Amino acid sequence: QVQLVESGGGLVQAGASLKLSCAASGRSFSSYALGWFRQAPGKGREFVAACIGTGGCITTSAEKGRFTVSRDNAVNMVFLQMDRLKPEDTADYYCAAGSLGGLGLRVGQIPQERSQYNYWGQGTHVTVSS
C-alpha cells in the first residue's frame, strides 16, 4: 500500500522559511517522480516542483529562486525548501508520486501535470501572514 506522508507545514510570517518533507512508502519509487503540488483557497491544484529518481529536479519558473526541491532516494523522501515566503504562498501543499512509465516523456523529462501523478498525500497546510 503506497503512502505519502507530508510534514512541515505551519503558520509563518512573510519573509520566513519553511521546509516541507514527504515520506513515501509501500513500493520502489526509483522509476517515479516525487514532487509537490499546492492548492490555494478557491483555486485549482498546481504543480510546484518535482524530482525524478536519476536526480533531475524542476521547480516552476514562478517559484524558482525561492523554492528548492530535493530528493533522498535512500530513504524515499522528497523535500521542499521554501524561502522568502509570501502571503500568496498560502495553500495546502500535497506530495505526489507519478510513474514515469507510459507517459511518453523524454529521458530526464519530469512530469508536471496533475494527471501524471498516481499517488497523493493528505496535504500539509501553509499559512503565510503579511
Side-chain angles (χ1 to χ4, degrees):
Q1 179 182 353
V2 173
Q3 283 192 312
L4 303 176
V5 180
E6 305 98 335
S7 61
L11 170 63
V12 296
Q13 290 189 327
S17 296
L18 274 179
K19 185 174 184 178
L20 305 184
S21 300
C22 172
S25 62
R27 64 160 301 127
S28 169
F29 292 94
S30 60
S31 61
Y32 276 67
L34 292 177
W36 296 93
F37 285 71
R38 69 182 179 184
Q39 187 164 11
K43 295 189 177 181
R45 194 170 297 188
E46 63 177 3
F47 175 80
V48 177
C51 296
I52 55 178
T54 53
C57 298
I58 191 168
T59 306
T60 58
S61 57
E63 312 308 341
K64 199 171 293 184
R66 295 195 304 123
F67 290 7
T68 304
V69 63
S70 60
R71 173 173 174 162
D72 188 337
N73 290 328
V75 293
N76 283 337
M77 293 190 73
V78 62
F79 307 94
L80 185 66
Q81 176 68 43
M82 304 186 293
D83 298 320
R84 301 188 300 282
L85 282 161
K86 305 174 183 179
E88 50 264 45
D89 294 319
T90 295
D92 291 318
Y93 284 73
Y94 295 90
C95 179
S99 173
L100 301 178
L103 293 181
L105 300 175
R106 298 187 309 274
V107 173
Q109 187 176 359
I110 301 170
Q112 301 181 48
E113 300 297 327
R114 180 176 177 176
S115 61
Q116 295 173 314
Y117 286 79
N118 314 89
Y119 302 104
W120 295 86
Q122 293 297 309
T124 186
H125 188 71
V126 172
T127 299
V128 184
S129 64
S130 57

PDB file of all heavy atoms in Angstrom, residues 1-4 6 22 24-29 32-35 37 45 94-99 114-122:
ATOM      1  N   GLN A   1       0.851  -1.189   0.000  1.00  0.00           N
ATOM      2  CA  GLN A   1       0.000   0.000   0.000  1.00  0.00           C
ATOM      3  C   GLN A   1       0.887   1.240   0.000  1.00  0.00           C
ATOM      4  O   GLN A   1       1.667   1.463   0.912  1.00  0.00           O
ATOM      5  CB  GLN A   1      -0.891   0.000   1.243  1.00  0.00           C
ATOM      6  CG  GLN A   1      -1.794   1.200   1.345  1.00  0.00           C
ATOM      7  CD  GLN A   1      -2.627   1.183   2.618  1.00  0.00           C
ATOM      8  OE1 GLN A   1      -2.600   0.201   3.355  1.00  0.00           O
ATOM      9  NE2 GLN A   1      -3.340   2.253   2.865  1.00  0.00           N
ATOM     10  N   VAL A   2       0.742   2.045  -1.017  1.00  0.00           N
ATOM     11  CA  VAL A   2       1.555   3.248  -1.128  1.00  0.00           C
ATOM     12  C   VAL A   2       1.035   4.313  -0.179  1.00  0.00           C
ATOM     13  O   VAL A   2      -0.175   4.553  -0.090  1.00  0.00           O
ATOM     14  CB  VAL A   2       1.547   3.783  -2.565  1.00  0.00           C
ATOM     15  CG1 VAL A   2       2.245   5.139  -2.635  1.00  0.00           C
ATOM     16  CG2 VAL A   2       2.211   2.788  -3.506  1.00  0.00           C
ATOM     17  N   GLN A   3       1.950   4.923   0.526  1.00  0.00           N
ATOM     18  CA  GLN A   3       1.595   6.040   1.406  1.00  0.00           C
ATOM     19  C   GLN A   3       2.570   7.178   1.192  1.00  0.00           C
ATOM     20  O   GLN A   3       3.781   6.958   1.067  1.00  0.00           O
ATOM     21  CB  GLN A   3       1.638   5.610   2.880  1.00  0.00           C
ATOM     22  CG  GLN A   3       0.452   4.804   3.330  1.00  0.00           C
ATOM     23  CD  GLN A   3       0.410   4.670   4.847  1.00  0.00           C
ATOM     24  OE1 GLN A   3       1.403   4.350   5.464  1.00  0.00           O
ATOM     25  NE2 GLN A   3      -0.755   4.937   5.424  1.00  0.00           N
ATOM     26  N   LEU A   4       2.036   8.369   1.153  1.00  0.00           N
ATOM     27  CA  LEU A   4       2.838   9.590   1.104  1.00  0.00           C
ATOM     28  C   LEU A   4       2.402  10.436   2.290  1.00  0.00           C
ATOM     29  O   LEU A   4       1.221  10.771   2.415  1.00  0.00           O
ATOM     30  CB  LEU A   4       2.598  10.351  -0.202  1.00  0.00           C
ATOM     31  CG  LEU A   4       2.866   9.593  -1.502  1.00  0.00           C
ATOM     32  CD1 LEU A   4       2.480  10.457  -2.701  1.00  0.00           C
ATOM     33  CD2 LEU A   4       4.322   9.177  -1.606  1.00  0.00           C
ATOM     34  N   GLU A   6       3.124  13.891   4.365  1.00  0.00           N
ATOM     35  CA  GLU A   6       3.775  15.196   4.403  1.00  0.00           C
ATOM     36  C   GLU A   6       3.910  15.699   5.845  1.00  0.00           C
ATOM     37  O   GLU A   6       3.117  15.342   6.710  1.00  0.00           O
ATOM     38  CB  GLU A   6       2.973  16.234   3.610  1.00  0.00           C
ATOM     39  CG  GLU A   6       2.677  15.883   2.178  1.00  0.00           C
ATOM     40  CD  GLU A   6       1.289  15.296   1.983  1.00  0.00           C
ATOM     41  OE1 GLU A   6       0.733  14.727   2.946  1.00  0.00           O
ATOM     42  OE2 GLU A   6       0.748  15.402   0.862  1.00  0.00           O
ATOM     43  N   CYS A  22       8.297  14.895   2.762  1.00  0.00           N
ATOM     44  CA  CYS A  22       7.339  13.867   2.373  1.00  0.00           C
ATOM     45  C   CYS A  22       8.033  12.515   2.420  1.00  0.00           C
ATOM     46  O   CYS A  22       9.070  12.319   1.775  1.00  0.00           O
ATOM     47  CB  CYS A  22       6.801  14.122   0.981  1.00  0.00           C
ATOM     48  SG  CYS A  22       5.784  12.782   0.323  1.00  0.00           S
ATOM     49  N   ALA A  24       7.718   8.658   1.502  1.00  0.00           N
ATOM     50  CA  ALA A  24       6.988   7.758   0.618  1.00  0.00           C
ATOM     51  C   ALA A  24       7.293   6.314   0.995  1.00  0.00           C
ATOM     52  O   ALA A  24       8.435   5.964   1.286  1.00  0.00           O
ATOM     53  CB  ALA A  24       7.400   8.010  -0.828  1.00  0.00           C
ATOM     54  N   SER A  25       6.280   5.476   0.998  1.00  0.00           N
ATOM     55  CA  SER A  25       6.479   4.078   1.351  1.00  0.00           C
ATOM     56  C   SER A  25       5.514   3.189   0.581  1.00  0.00           C
ATOM     57  O   SER A  25       4.562   3.665  -0.021  1.00  0.00           O
ATOM     58  CB  SER A  25       6.284   3.877   2.864  1.00  0.00           C
ATOM     59  OG  SER A  25       4.961   4.223   3.232  1.00  0.00           O
ATOM     60  N   GLY A  26       5.782   1.898   0.588  1.00  0.00           N
ATOM     61  CA  GLY A  26       4.856   0.946   0.012  1.00  0.00           C
ATOM     62  C   GLY A  26       5.277   0.346  -1.308  1.00  0.00           C
ATOM     63  O   GLY A  26       4.636  -0.581  -1.787  1.00  0.00           O
ATOM     64  N   ARG A  27       6.324   0.875  -1.901  1.00  0.00           N
ATOM     65  CA  ARG A  27       6.837   0.326  -3.154  1.00  0.00           C
ATOM     66  C   ARG A  27       8.158   0.999  -3.459  1.00  0.00           C
ATOM     67  O   ARG A  27       8.589   1.903  -2.765  1.00  0.00           O
ATOM     68  CB  ARG A  27       5.859   0.567  -4.298  1.00  0.00           C
ATOM     69  CG  ARG A  27       5.628   2.025  -4.656  1.00  0.00           C
ATOM     70  CD  ARG A  27       5.062   2.185  -6.066  1.00  0.00           C
ATOM     71  NE  ARG A  27       5.949   1.607  -7.052  1.00  0.00           N
ATOM     72  CZ  ARG A  27       5.538   0.719  -7.935  1.00  0.00           C
ATOM     73  NH1 ARG A  27       4.272   0.330  -7.968  1.00  0.00           N
ATOM     74  NH2 ARG A  27       6.382   0.226  -8.817  1.00  0.00           N
ATOM     75  N   SER A  28       8.795   0.542  -4.518  1.00  0.00           N
ATOM     76  CA  SER A  28      10.006   1.208  -5.001  1.00  0.00           C
ATOM     77  C   SER A  28       9.604   2.434  -5.809  1.00  0.00           C
ATOM     78  O   SER A  28       8.682   2.386  -6.622  1.00  0.00           O
ATOM     79  CB  SER A  28      10.815   0.255  -5.886  1.00  0.00           C
ATOM     80  OG  SER A  28      11.835   0.979  -6.552  1.00  0.00           O
ATOM     81  N   PHE A  29      10.282   3.531  -5.566  1.00  0.00           N
ATOM     82  CA  PHE A  29       9.970   4.765  -6.276  1.00  0.00           C
ATOM     83  C   PHE A  29      11.083   5.160  -7.245  1.00  0.00           C
ATOM     84  O   PHE A  29      11.142   6.312  -7.689  1.00  0.00           O
ATOM     85  CB  PHE A  29       9.719   5.887  -5.265  1.00  0.00           C
ATOM     86  CG  PHE A  29       8.472   5.687  -4.480  1.00  0.00           C
ATOM     87  CD1 PHE A  29       8.493   5.062  -3.237  1.00  0.00           C
ATOM     88  CD2 PHE A  29       7.244   6.093  -4.969  1.00  0.00           C
ATOM     89  CE1 PHE A  29       7.330   4.853  -2.506  1.00  0.00           C
ATOM     90  CE2 PHE A  29       6.071   5.906  -4.251  1.00  0.00           C
ATOM     91  CZ  PHE A  29       6.117   5.276  -3.016  1.00  0.00           C
ATOM     92  N   TYR A  32       9.753   6.569 -10.365  1.00  0.00           N
ATOM     93  CA  TYR A  32       8.677   7.519 -10.105  1.00  0.00           C
ATOM     94  C   TYR A  32       9.246   8.927  -9.928  1.00  0.00           C
ATOM     95  O   TYR A  32      10.337   9.100  -9.389  1.00  0.00           O
ATOM     96  CB  TYR A  32       7.932   7.158  -8.825  1.00  0.00           C
ATOM     97  CG  TYR A  32       6.861   6.111  -9.017  1.00  0.00           C
ATOM     98  CD1 TYR A  32       7.191   4.811  -9.356  1.00  0.00           C
ATOM     99  CD2 TYR A  32       5.517   6.435  -8.846  1.00  0.00           C
ATOM    100  CE1 TYR A  32       6.208   3.853  -9.533  1.00  0.00           C
ATOM    101  CE2 TYR A  32       4.531   5.480  -9.019  1.00  0.00           C
ATOM    102  CZ  TYR A  32       4.878   4.198  -9.356  1.00  0.00           C
ATOM    103  OH  TYR A  32       3.899   3.256  -9.525  1.00  0.00           O
ATOM    104  N   ALA A  33       8.470   9.887 -10.347  1.00  0.00           N
ATOM    105  CA  ALA A  33       8.732  11.259  -9.952  1.00  0.00           C
ATOM    106  C   ALA A  33       8.097  11.476  -8.583  1.00  0.00           C
ATOM    107  O   ALA A  33       6.994  10.975  -8.325  1.00  0.00           O
ATOM    108  CB  ALA A  33       8.134  12.233 -10.961  1.00  0.00           C
ATOM    109  N   LEU A  34       8.776  12.189  -7.727  1.00  0.00           N
ATOM    110  CA  LEU A  34       8.235  12.606  -6.433  1.00  0.00           C
ATOM    111  C   LEU A  34       8.233  14.121  -6.420  1.00  0.00           C
ATOM    112  O   LEU A  34       9.260  14.743  -6.735  1.00  0.00           O
ATOM    113  CB  LEU A  34       9.085  12.073  -5.273  1.00  0.00           C
ATOM    114  CG  LEU A  34       9.078  10.571  -5.038  1.00  0.00           C
ATOM    115  CD1 LEU A  34      10.037  10.213  -3.895  1.00  0.00           C
ATOM    116  CD2 LEU A  34       7.688  10.070  -4.732  1.00  0.00           C
ATOM    117  N   GLY A  35       7.096  14.685  -6.064  1.00  0.00           N
ATOM    118  CA  GLY A  35       7.057  16.136  -6.138  1.00  0.00           C
ATOM    119  C   GLY A  35       5.983  16.756  -5.298  1.00  0.00           C
ATOM    120  O   GLY A  35       5.377  16.103  -4.431  1.00  0.00           O
ATOM    121  N   PHE A  37       2.648  19.629  -5.245  1.00  0.00           N
ATOM    122  CA  PHE A  37       1.627  20.491  -5.810  1.00  0.00           C
ATOM    123  C   PHE A  37       1.079  21.334  -4.661  1.00  0.00           C
ATOM    124  O   PHE A  37       1.256  20.996  -3.493  1.00  0.00           O
ATOM    125  CB  PHE A  37       0.484  19.668  -6.413  1.00  0.00           C
ATOM    126  CG  PHE A  37       0.820  19.019  -7.723  1.00  0.00           C
ATOM    127  CD1 PHE A  37       1.706  17.946  -7.786  1.00  0.00           C
ATOM    128  CD2 PHE A  37       0.242  19.450  -8.906  1.00  0.00           C
ATOM    129  CE1 PHE A  37       2.006  17.331  -8.989  1.00  0.00           C
ATOM    130  CE2 PHE A  37       0.543  18.850 -10.120  1.00  0.00           C
ATOM    131  CZ  PHE A  37       1.416  17.782 -10.160  1.00  0.00           C
ATOM    132  N   ARG A  45      -5.406  22.831  -8.159  1.00  0.00           N
ATOM    133  CA  ARG A  45      -4.137  22.297  -7.673  1.00  0.00           C
ATOM    134  C   ARG A  45      -3.079  22.510  -8.750  1.00  0.00           C
ATOM    135  O   ARG A  45      -3.256  22.102  -9.897  1.00  0.00           O
ATOM    136  CB  ARG A  45      -4.287  20.808  -7.348  1.00  0.00           C
ATOM    137  CG  ARG A  45      -3.157  20.245  -6.536  1.00  0.00           C
ATOM    138  CD  ARG A  45      -3.475  18.841  -6.032  1.00  0.00           C
ATOM    139  NE  ARG A  45      -4.617  18.843  -5.126  1.00  0.00           N
ATOM    140  CZ  ARG A  45      -4.999  17.777  -4.430  1.00  0.00           C
ATOM    141  NH1 ARG A  45      -4.316  16.640  -4.537  1.00  0.00           N
ATOM    142  NH2 ARG A  45      -6.056  17.843  -3.650  1.00  0.00           N
ATOM    143  N   TYR A  94       0.667  19.404  -1.337  1.00  0.00           N
ATOM    144  CA  TYR A  94       0.487  17.970  -1.481  1.00  0.00           C
ATOM    145  C   TYR A  94       1.727  17.329  -2.079  1.00  0.00           C
ATOM    146  O   TYR A  94       2.275  17.809  -3.084  1.00  0.00           O
ATOM    147  CB  TYR A  94      -0.697  17.669  -2.390  1.00  0.00           C
ATOM    148  CG  TYR A  94      -2.018  18.116  -1.843  1.00  0.00           C
ATOM    149  CD1 TYR A  94      -2.520  19.382  -2.110  1.00  0.00           C
ATOM    150  CD2 TYR A  94      -2.786  17.259  -1.051  1.00  0.00           C
ATOM    151  CE1 TYR A  94      -3.732  19.797  -1.605  1.00  0.00           C
ATOM    152  CE2 TYR A  94      -4.011  17.664  -0.539  1.00  0.00           C
ATOM    153  CZ  TYR A  94      -4.476  18.927  -0.822  1.00  0.00           C
ATOM    154  OH  TYR A  94      -5.683  19.330  -0.312  1.00  0.00           O
ATOM    155  N   CYS A  95       2.131  16.239  -1.475  1.00  0.00           N
ATOM    156  CA  CYS A  95       3.186  15.405  -2.041  1.00  0.00           C
ATOM    157  C   CYS A  95       2.535  14.448  -3.038  1.00  0.00           C
ATOM    158  O   CYS A  95       1.409  13.962  -2.805  1.00  0.00           O
ATOM    159  CB  CYS A  95       3.855  14.622  -0.916  1.00  0.00           C
ATOM    160  SG  CYS A  95       5.182  13.518  -1.449  1.00  0.00           S
ATOM    161  N   ALA A  96       3.231  14.171  -4.124  1.00  0.00           N
ATOM    162  CA  ALA A  96       2.678  13.302  -5.154  1.00  0.00           C
ATOM    163  C   ALA A  96       3.768  12.419  -5.741  1.00  0.00           C
ATOM    164  O   ALA A  96       4.933  12.816  -5.810  1.00  0.00           O
ATOM    165  CB  ALA A  96       2.031  14.129  -6.264  1.00  0.00           C
ATOM    166  N   ALA A  97       3.349  11.238  -6.163  1.00  0.00           N
ATOM    167  CA  ALA A  97       4.263  10.301  -6.817  1.00  0.00           C
ATOM    168  C   ALA A  97       3.654   9.884  -8.153  1.00  0.00           C
ATOM    169  O   ALA A  97       2.472   9.520  -8.211  1.00  0.00           O
ATOM    170  CB  ALA A  97       4.491   9.069  -5.941  1.00  0.00           C
ATOM    171  N   GLY A  98       4.462   9.948  -9.190  1.00  0.00           N
ATOM    172  CA  GLY A  98       3.973   9.612 -10.512  1.00  0.00           C
ATOM    173  C   GLY A  98       4.905   8.664 -11.238  1.00  0.00           C
ATOM    174  O   GLY A  98       6.114   8.927 -11.319  1.00  0.00           O
ATOM    175  N   SER A  99       4.353   7.571 -11.742  1.00  0.00           N
ATOM    176  CA  SER A  99       5.150   6.618 -12.504  1.00  0.00           C
ATOM    177  C   SER A  99       5.563   7.229 -13.842  1.00  0.00           C
ATOM    178  O   SER A  99       4.757   7.839 -14.538  1.00  0.00           O
ATOM    179  CB  SER A  99       4.334   5.351 -12.764  1.00  0.00           C
ATOM    180  OG  SER A  99       5.038   4.493 -13.635  1.00  0.00           O
ATOM    181  N   ARG A 114      -0.993  17.346 -13.191  1.00  0.00           N
ATOM    182  CA  ARG A 114      -1.632  16.625 -12.097  1.00  0.00           C
ATOM    183  C   ARG A 114      -2.015  15.216 -12.533  1.00  0.00           C
ATOM    184  O   ARG A 114      -1.863  14.260 -11.758  1.00  0.00           O
ATOM    185  CB  ARG A 114      -2.877  17.396 -11.656  1.00  0.00           C
ATOM    186  CG  ARG A 114      -3.630  16.759 -10.516  1.00  0.00           C
ATOM    187  CD  ARG A 114      -4.800  17.630 -10.080  1.00  0.00           C
ATOM    188  NE  ARG A 114      -5.575  16.980  -9.031  1.00  0.00           N
ATOM    189  CZ  ARG A 114      -6.604  17.547  -8.425  1.00  0.00           C
ATOM    190  NH1 ARG A 114      -6.984  18.778  -8.761  1.00  0.00           N
ATOM    191  NH2 ARG A 114      -7.260  16.896  -7.492  1.00  0.00           N
ATOM    192  N   SER A 115      -2.462  15.066 -13.763  1.00  0.00           N
ATOM    193  CA  SER A 115      -2.920  13.760 -14.246  1.00  0.00           C
ATOM    194  C   SER A 115      -1.787  12.754 -14.388  1.00  0.00           C
ATOM    195  O   SER A 115      -2.035  11.563 -14.552  1.00  0.00           O
ATOM    196  CB  SER A 115      -3.623  13.930 -15.596  1.00  0.00           C
ATOM    197  OG  SER A 115      -2.718  14.478 -16.554  1.00  0.00           O
ATOM    198  N   GLN A 116      -0.555  13.218 -14.339  1.00  0.00           N
ATOM    199  CA  GLN A 116       0.590  12.333 -14.487  1.00  0.00           C
ATOM    200  C   GLN A 116       1.052  11.738 -13.156  1.00  0.00           C
ATOM    201  O   GLN A 116       2.013  10.985 -13.124  1.00  0.00           O
ATOM    202  CB  GLN A 116       1.752  13.094 -15.144  1.00  0.00           C
ATOM    203  CG  GLN A 116       1.447  13.519 -16.583  1.00  0.00           C
ATOM    204  CD  GLN A 116       2.507  14.415 -17.168  1.00  0.00           C
ATOM    205  OE1 GLN A 116       2.960  15.368 -16.511  1.00  0.00           O
ATOM    206  NE2 GLN A 116       2.923  14.153 -18.395  1.00  0.00           N
ATOM    207  N   TYR A 117       0.363  12.076 -12.094  1.00  0.00           N
ATOM    208  CA  TYR A 117       0.725  11.583 -10.773  1.00  0.00           C
ATOM    209  C   TYR A 117      -0.330  10.624 -10.259  1.00  0.00           C
ATOM    210  O   TYR A 117      -1.524  10.895 -10.328  1.00  0.00           O
ATOM    211  CB  TYR A 117       0.937  12.758  -9.811  1.00  0.00           C
ATOM    212  CG  TYR A 117       2.238  13.471 -10.109  1.00  0.00           C
ATOM    213  CD1 TYR A 117       2.339  14.378 -11.159  1.00  0.00           C
ATOM    214  CD2 TYR A 117       3.391  13.198  -9.363  1.00  0.00           C
ATOM    215  CE1 TYR A 117       3.549  14.992 -11.456  1.00  0.00           C
ATOM    216  CE2 TYR A 117       4.592  13.814  -9.652  1.00  0.00           C
ATOM    217  CZ  TYR A 117       4.666  14.705 -10.703  1.00  0.00           C
ATOM    218  OH  TYR A 117       5.870  15.312 -11.002  1.00  0.00           O
ATOM    219  N   ASN A 118       0.147   9.472  -9.767  1.00  0.00           N
ATOM    220  CA  ASN A 118      -0.739   8.381  -9.386  1.00  0.00           C
ATOM    221  C   ASN A 118      -1.137   8.389  -7.918  1.00  0.00           C
ATOM    222  O   ASN A 118      -2.209   7.903  -7.560  1.00  0.00           O
ATOM    223  CB  ASN A 118      -0.054   7.028  -9.659  1.00  0.00           C
ATOM    224  CG  ASN A 118       0.603   6.959 -11.010  1.00  0.00           C
ATOM    225  OD1 ASN A 118       1.771   7.308 -11.172  1.00  0.00           O
ATOM    226  ND2 ASN A 118      -0.146   6.509 -11.994  1.00  0.00           N
ATOM    227  N   TYR A 119      -0.229   8.857  -7.084  1.00  0.00           N
ATOM    228  CA  TYR A 119      -0.446   8.776  -5.637  1.00  0.00           C
ATOM    229  C   TYR A 119      -0.295  10.155  -5.017  1.00  0.00           C
ATOM    230  O   TYR A 119       0.553  10.949  -5.441  1.00  0.00           O
ATOM    231  CB  TYR A 119       0.569   7.814  -4.996  1.00  0.00           C
ATOM    232  CG  TYR A 119       0.527   6.419  -5.557  1.00  0.00           C
ATOM    233  CD1 TYR A 119       1.505   5.970  -6.438  1.00  0.00           C
ATOM    234  CD2 TYR A 119      -0.498   5.543  -5.198  1.00  0.00           C
ATOM    235  CE1 TYR A 119       1.466   4.687  -6.959  1.00  0.00           C
ATOM    236  CE2 TYR A 119      -0.539   4.255  -5.713  1.00  0.00           C
ATOM    237  CZ  TYR A 119       0.435   3.840  -6.587  1.00  0.00           C
ATOM    238  OH  TYR A 119       0.403   2.567  -7.096  1.00  0.00           O
ATOM    239  N   TRP A 120      -1.101  10.378  -3.979  1.00  0.00           N
ATOM    240  CA  TRP A 120      -1.135  11.686  -3.320  1.00  0.00           C
ATOM    241  C   TRP A 120      -1.139  11.542  -1.814  1.00  0.00           C
ATOM    242  O   TRP A 120      -1.731  10.598  -1.269  1.00  0.00           O
ATOM    243  CB  TRP A 120      -2.399  12.438  -3.742  1.00  0.00           C
ATOM    244  CG  TRP A 120      -2.416  12.760  -5.190  1.00  0.00           C
ATOM    245  CD1 TRP A 120      -2.854  11.954  -6.204  1.00  0.00           C
ATOM    246  CD2 TRP A 120      -1.946  13.958  -5.808  1.00  0.00           C
ATOM    247  NE1 TRP A 120      -2.686  12.592  -7.416  1.00  0.00           N
ATOM    248  CE2 TRP A 120      -2.134  13.819  -7.203  1.00  0.00           C
ATOM    249  CE3 TRP A 120      -1.384  15.136  -5.320  1.00  0.00           C
ATOM    250  CZ2 TRP A 120      -1.789  14.820  -8.098  1.00  0.00           C
ATOM    251  CZ3 TRP A 120      -1.039  16.133  -6.209  1.00  0.00           C
ATOM    252  CH2 TRP A 120      -1.234  15.973  -7.581  1.00  0.00           C
ATOM    253  N   GLY A 121      -0.477  12.488  -1.162  1.00  0.00           N
ATOM    254  CA  GLY A 121      -0.573  12.567   0.282  1.00  0.00           C
ATOM    255  C   GLY A 121      -1.814  13.324   0.694  1.00  0.00           C
ATOM    256  O   GLY A 121      -2.583  13.801  -0.151  1.00  0.00           O
ATOM    257  N   GLN A 122      -2.005  13.445   2.002  1.00  0.00           N
ATOM    258  CA  GLN A 122      -3.174  14.133   2.538  1.00  0.00           C
ATOM    259  C   GLN A 122      -3.012  15.651   2.525  1.00  0.00           C
ATOM    260  O   GLN A 122      -4.005  16.376   2.642  1.00  0.00           O
ATOM    261  CB  GLN A 122      -3.435  13.661   3.973  1.00  0.00           C
ATOM    262  CG  GLN A 122      -3.870  12.204   4.051  1.00  0.00           C
ATOM    263  CD  GLN A 122      -5.182  11.976   3.338  1.00  0.00           C
ATOM    264  OE1 GLN A 122      -6.168  12.678   3.573  1.00  0.00           O
ATOM    265  NE2 GLN A 122      -5.225  10.998   2.445  1.00  0.00           N
TER     266      GLN A 122
END
